[in-house]
Amino acid sequence: MSFFVFMKIDEVLRTKLEEISLSESEVLRIEIVASDFLKKLSGKGLRAEIGGSFAKGTTVKKRVKQDVDIFVVFEYSEDILKLEGVLNNMD
């Protein structure tokens, strides 16, 4: 494979990666929303953390809405009711 062919492939890959990657402002906006939600959970005594592709920095841009995996640890059955209360009071 010649150097020029490799450069063309590299250019195509870089372009496609830019097309599917979130911008810094999109990542920041998601981080703010997720952080606020984690604070609400923590305020009710629930342990939670961000997981999945967003936590790994491998989130792919979606056409409609982005998603973030948030894992909640239930130590007691009452924690499920606490989570229900947080979810019912969301805007």
Side-chain angles (χ1 to χ4, degrees):
M1 186 179 320
S2 75
F3 176 74
F4 295 106
V5 172
F6 176 74
M7 290 300 294
K8 183 69 174 171
I9 292 171
D10 188 50
E11 183 181 322
V12 169
L13 291 173
R14 187 179 15 247
T15 301
K16 291 301 177 187
L17 184 60
E18 288 174 8
E19 288 176 13
I20 66 170
S21 297
L22 298 173
S23 69
E24 287 183 29
S25 64
E26 289 170 314
V27 170
L28 181 59
R29 190 170 49 232
I30 293 170
E31 285 176 343
I32 290 169
V33 171
S35 177
D36 287 347
F37 184 63
L38 291 176
K39 286 177 187 173
K40 287 179 183 180
L41 294 174
S42 179
K44 294 293 183 180
L46 295 167
R47 248 181 6 151
E49 62 184 49
I50 296 173
S53 60
F54 192 78
K56 293 184 261 181
T58 58
T59 302
V60 176
K61 186 182 292 187
K62 296 190 171 107
R63 291 185 179 166
V64 185
K65 293 184 179 183
Q66 289 299 135
D67 60 49
V68 177
D69 298 313
I70 296 180
F71 298 95
V72 181
V73 177
F74 299 107
E75 296 184 29
Y76 306 100
S77 58
E78 295 85 25
D79 290 346
I80 297 172
L81 297 174
K82 291 178 187 177
L83 176 61
E84 182 180 11
V86 171
L87 296 175
N88 284 333
N89 290 319
M90 294 192 65
D91 301 330

